[in-house]
Amino acid sequence: MTSTLQPARVAEAEERRPGRWLALSALVLAVLLVAVDATVLGLATPYISEDLNPSGTQLLWIGDVYSFVIAGLLVSMGSLGDRIGRKRILLVGATAFGAISVLNAYATTPGMLIAARALLGVAGATLMPATLALIRNLFHDPRERSLAVGIWGAAASAGTAVGPIAGGFLLEHFWWGSVFLINLPVMVVLVLVGSRTLPESRNPDPGPWDLTSVVLSLVGMIAVVYAVKEAATHGLTGVTAATALLGTAALCGFVRRQLTMPRPLLDMRLFRNRGFSGAVLSDLLTVLGMSGLVFFLSQYLQLVQGRHPFEAGLAELPAAVGAVAAGLVAGRAA
């Protein structure tokens, strides 16, 4: 009886969502927003240095604080979306992303740009987990879902690689702040399409939202990264060592708290699964390698080879093509 009813339920669910592929386009736009902004500043770094005159440490924070805030808040924002609705948090986050992009574009001091980039990371953290949760809600057929996740992954990888190209084109014609303003038209399309095509979904029994866990994860991430940056710039000092210990203690506290909570924000026991841990580790190494390559290659092409920004961006085009192809193949293979 169960085996005969299950296909009917799946087919009925599919009939209720005839626009699921159009809805997927809105989710792809969301992940593109987040991915492009992770690397779009690569070619703009010399122009920011000339205009705002940041210190070496400030320049590193301008480039990295966005990604680190996203990393520190991903789990928390995913849990928040389970409670208030994934569509709602996606649309609110996209709107905030566009508004904060304007603040980034017109920053007048290094400190203001760092703060604006951090706020952009908060908005970006609302988008990534909501897109994956909505894909699961939109696509009930396993094959369609695998293809949808493959397209999502291809968009994330392509956005990271396309960032320097888009940034290079804009820097050829406008000032460095224009690399943030490209978010506005994408955000408008995302909100208009998403509000009409995306279904609302939430966890009917999500459990409490643990603010202590949120603070521990964010403090731990930022403190450890700050210590690494300061040690690389000024050597190991007392303040740097204390910050590193604070960050390590916060991350250890986060892990211990998740292991003792009946409803954790992140189930750390998942890492006992070697397939899960291996996938996370390979993804981590890939992101570290690609982020470092995009940043240093962007500087090398301009400052050493003397290429114009758009020409330097085009030199990185093969990475975008390879990322899209690999993402689509991975979806099929899975």
Side-chain angles (χ1 to χ4, degrees), residues 197-267:
T197 61
L198 291 172
E200 184 58 279
S201 69
R202 57 174 56 88
N203 187 340
D205 184 25
W209 197 62
D210 185 38
L211 183 59
T212 302
S213 296
V214 175
V215 173
L216 285 172
S217 64
L218 189 59
V219 169
M221 183 73 65
I222 298 299
V224 168
V225 172
Y226 175 83
V228 171
K229 289 179 179 293
E230 287 297 306
T233 305
H234 304 293
L236 186 61
T237 64
V239 174
T240 303
T243 306
L245 289 174
L246 172 64
T248 303
L251 291 176
C252 290
F254 174 80
V255 172
R256 292 187 61 181
R257 187 172 180 84
Q258 303 315 297
L259 291 173
T260 57
M261 291 178 63
R263 306 286 292 274
L265 282 179
L266 177 63
D267 188 358

Side-chain angles (χ1 to χ4, degrees), residues 2-93:
T2 301
S3 61
T4 58
L5 290 179
Q6 186 66 24
R9 283 199 294 266
V10 172
E12 181 183 354
E14 291 294 328
E15 289 176 0
R16 290 199 300 266
R17 299 186 181 91
R20 58 192 180 279
W21 293 106
L22 181 59
L24 178 64
S25 68
L27 303 180
V28 167
L29 286 176
V31 76
L32 273 174
L33 272 177
V34 177
V36 167
D37 267 73
T39 57
V40 74
L41 274 188
L43 293 174
T45 299
Y47 300 89
I48 294 174
S49 298
E50 182 180 356
D51 189 22
L52 302 184
N53 194 29
S55 66
T57 301
Q58 286 176 324
L59 193 60
L60 285 174
W61 276 111
I62 289 170
D64 294 340
V65 69
Y66 168 79
S67 299
F68 290 131
V69 171
I70 287 181
L73 290 178
L74 268 181
V75 174
S76 305
M77 290 302 181
S79 180
L80 183 61
D82 291 343
R83 287 154 177 77
I84 69 173
R86 289 127 185 179
K87 175 181 177 179
R88 177 180 298 176
I89 198 170
L90 177 72
L91 296 180
V92 170

